[in-house]
């Protein structure tokens, strides 16, 4: 098949499946994006895992445990979708450990107190929902189907975070201040999860041509901001952006300039927690080697028994 015929399939809204012919560049683009998405899900478990033992109640602990467990599952779906493109899990993990593959920069910020659990669920999972609902229509079959399953669970993640923020905002003045402080620290890194502005997004051209992305970074970012401002106001918190203002003409919120120097500094490895996150992943991966070996040995034995 030629690239021209491939593009006709994309334009005709046909899903591309693992065994279909695809341009090498499409395959590489997908491996890049899906693997970084998977790495984000797994690394994202660390900032929240930090608070399981210090959750304020058994109910809060159970909810946080369930959420973190979901994220591990999201990583599993995404690694599995990525492996259908002809790359192994070991190679993907090695790329992460070698710094050749990234994960979402939001996870390179620390979670300092329980209010951060609220802000992460409300804003980070809230942003992920906007991005992932759009990705349900991505042109690659396994990625699209994985997104449908993930989006069902993501809504619970956002709700539980928002409940924490609403509870603290309605609590003592100190608790409300903790919630506002968490919003102040996590707001800007959350809206940067949507990536650089469209004009500065080197991958968006192909991503949109091949319908890997269905909407642009700025469209999704705007949609997230428009729906989140009212949620903050409802619980009496203030979005930390003095330029945030409803624009009657456009029907959207205008918002302030983002600090892209900080963004690229963190993406390139110089964020508050980059080293900690990667060191922890490497240590956990090493410690888990015996489990992987046991699972492989068991699978081999089962295979032998069934021949
Ligand atoms: N953090 C780290 N890297 C980022 C980034 C961010 N917030 N935003 C963009 N980048 C990287 C891109 O990966 C790309 O790097 P690469 O060329 O080395 O692969 C580069 O910056 C240029 O950005 P582009 O906009 O040109 O790249 P994309 O077209 O890939 O758009 C994206 C970036 C919007 C993140 C897109 O890759 C995407 O939609 N990915 C899938 C969703 C995803 O990965 N979300 C991450 C969070 S998952 C999550 O939050 C889990 C939830 O359960 C909490």
């Amino acid at each position: 098949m030629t690239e021209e015929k491939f593009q006709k399939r994309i334009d005709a809204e046909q899903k591309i499946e693992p065994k279909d012919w695809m341009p090498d560049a499409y395959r590489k683009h997908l491996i890049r994006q899906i693997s970084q998405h998977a790495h984000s899900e797994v690394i994202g478990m660390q900032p929240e895992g930090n608070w399981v033992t210090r959750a304020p109640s058994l109910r809060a602990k159970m909810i946080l445990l369930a959420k973190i467990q979901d994220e591990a599952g999201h990583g599993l779906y995404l690694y599995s979708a990525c492996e259908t493109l002809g790359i192994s899990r070991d190679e993907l993990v090695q790329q992460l450990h070698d710094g050749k593959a990234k994960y979402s920069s939001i996870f390179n910020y620390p979670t300092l107190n329980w209010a951060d659990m609220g802000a992460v669920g409300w804003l980070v999972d809230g942003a992920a929902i906007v991005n992932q609902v759009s990705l349900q229509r991505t042109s690659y079959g396994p990625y699209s189907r994985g997104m449908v399953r993930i989006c069902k669970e993501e809504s619970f993640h956002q709700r539980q975070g928002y409940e924490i923020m609403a509870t603290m905002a309605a609590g003592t003045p100190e608790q409300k201040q903790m919630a506002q402080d968490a919003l102040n620290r996590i707001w800007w890194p959350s809206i940067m999860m949507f990536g650089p502005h469209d004009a500065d997004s080197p991958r968006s051209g192909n991503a949109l041509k091949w319908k890997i992305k269905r909407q642009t970074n700025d469209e999704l970012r705007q949609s997230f901001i428009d729906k989140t401002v009212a949620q903050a106001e409802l619980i009496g918190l203030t979005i930390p952006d003095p330029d945030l203002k409803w624009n009657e003409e456009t029907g959207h919120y205008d918002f302030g300039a983002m600090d892209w120097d900080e963004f690229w500094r963190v993406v390139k490895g110089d964020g508050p927690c980059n080293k900690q996150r990667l060191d922890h992943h490497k240590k956990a991966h090493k410690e888990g080697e015996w489990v992987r070996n046991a699972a492989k040995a068991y699978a081999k034995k089962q295979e032998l028994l069934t021949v």
Side-chain angles (χ1 to χ4, degrees):
M1 180 184 288
T2 60
E3 294 208 15
E4 203 184 323
K5 283 204 183 114
F6 173 80
Q7 192 60 48
K8 280 203 174 71
R9 291 195 62 197
I10 295 283
D11 298 342
E13 294 294 336
Q14 290 178 19
K15 280 279 183 272
I16 306 301
E17 296 299 337
K19 291 197 170 38
D20 293 343
W21 184 89
M22 61 183 86
D24 233 14
Y26 176 82
R27 183 188 302 277
K28 284 201 182 90
H29 190 120
L30 278 172
I31 288 175
R32 184 89 185 142
Q33 176 166 328
I34 301 174
S35 67
Q36 296 190 145
H37 196 163
H39 296 329
S40 302
E41 299 281 2
V42 171
I43 296 281
M45 293 162 72
Q46 289 186 38
E48 290 174 320
N50 193 20
W51 284 91
V52 169
T53 55
R54 290 175 274 176
S57 70
L58 184 57
R59 176 181 180 270
K61 183 189 286 238
M62 289 190 323
I63 291 173
L64 186 58
L65 273 173
K67 182 200 189 286
I68 295 169
Q69 194 176 327
D70 281 352
E71 306 297 10
H74 296 176
L76 186 63
Y77 307 148
L78 289 164
Y79 282 127
S80 302
C82 206
E83 286 171 297
T84 65
L85 290 156
I87 185 166
S88 73
R89 185 78 56 91
D90 290 344
E91 282 171 281
L92 293 170
V93 173
Q94 200 54 54
Q95 286 173 355
L96 174 69
H97 287 176
D98 296 345
K100 292 193 182 106
K102 300 193 279 283
Y103 50 88
S104 194
S105 55
I106 178 71
F107 298 123
N108 287 316
Y109 291 84
T111 44
L112 305 177
N113 56 54
W114 183 252
D116 287 23
M117 289 303 99
V120 165
W122 173 36
L123 300 173
V124 176
D125 290 77
I129 289 173
V130 170
N131 168 280
Q132 291 170 160
V133 162
S134 177
L135 272 174
Q136 287 180 128
R137 296 175 51 239
T138 191
S139 57
Y140 187 57
Y143 195 21
S144 160
R145 292 186 289 273
M147 279 299 106
V148 171
R149 172 72 192 266
I150 285 174
C151 286
K152 286 192 175 73
E153 294 171 343
E154 212 66 82
S155 312
F156 146 62
H157 299 173
Q158 192 266 3
R159 284 287 97 184
Q160 62 85 36
Y162 189 59
E163 184 193 71
I164 292 171
M165 293 300 267
T167 307
M168 293 188 77
T172 64
E174 294 78 11
Q175 286 171 332
K176 182 165 186 177
Q177 187 45 49
M178 279 174 76
Q180 183 61 58
D181 170 58
L183 172 54
N184 294 345
R185 285 184 285 106
I186 295 178
W187 171 254
W188 291 101
S190 298
I191 63 173
M192 288 184 177
M193 285 172 64
F194 294 96
H197 283 308
D198 299 347
D200 307 319
S201 166
R203 289 186 175 274
S204 283
N206 279 340
L208 292 163
K209 182 179 93 175
W210 291 326
K211 297 188 182 177
I212 294 173
K213 267 183 185 173
R214 290 297 195 154
Q215 289 160 280
T216 73
N217 296 359
D218 286 326
E219 283 168 352
L220 292 173
R221 188 179 358 257
Q222 186 67 66
S223 161
F224 171 67
I225 291 171
D226 289 349
K227 69 177 68 197
T228 307
V229 174
Q231 291 171 1
E233 287 167 352
L234 188 67
I235 57 176
L237 296 181
T238 309
I239 302 274
D241 176 0
D243 298 321
L244 189 75
K245 189 167 172 297
W246 179 252
N247 184 323
E248 207 46 62
E249 220 175 286
T250 62
H252 296 293
Y253 278 95
D254 294 333
F255 55 95
M258 289 176 270
D259 180 349
W260 294 110
D261 290 343
E262 176 185 334
F263 171 79
W264 288 114
R265 188 169 47 74
V266 176
V267 168
K268 292 195 168 88
D270 186 23
C273 299
N274 295 56
K275 184 174 177 335
Q276 175 191 337
R277 299 286 184 240
L278 220 41
D279 287 352
H280 183 91
H281 191 284
K282 288 175 182 171
K283 180 171 176 290
H285 193 69
K286 185 99 194 84
E287 287 167 358
E289 194 168 11
W290 69 273
V291 176
R292 293 192 297 278
N293 291 342
K296 283 178 193 162
Y298 178 76
K300 188 100 188 110
K301 185 163 166 260
Q302 289 309 95
E303 216 177 275
L304 292 174
L305 288 178
T306 48
V307 287

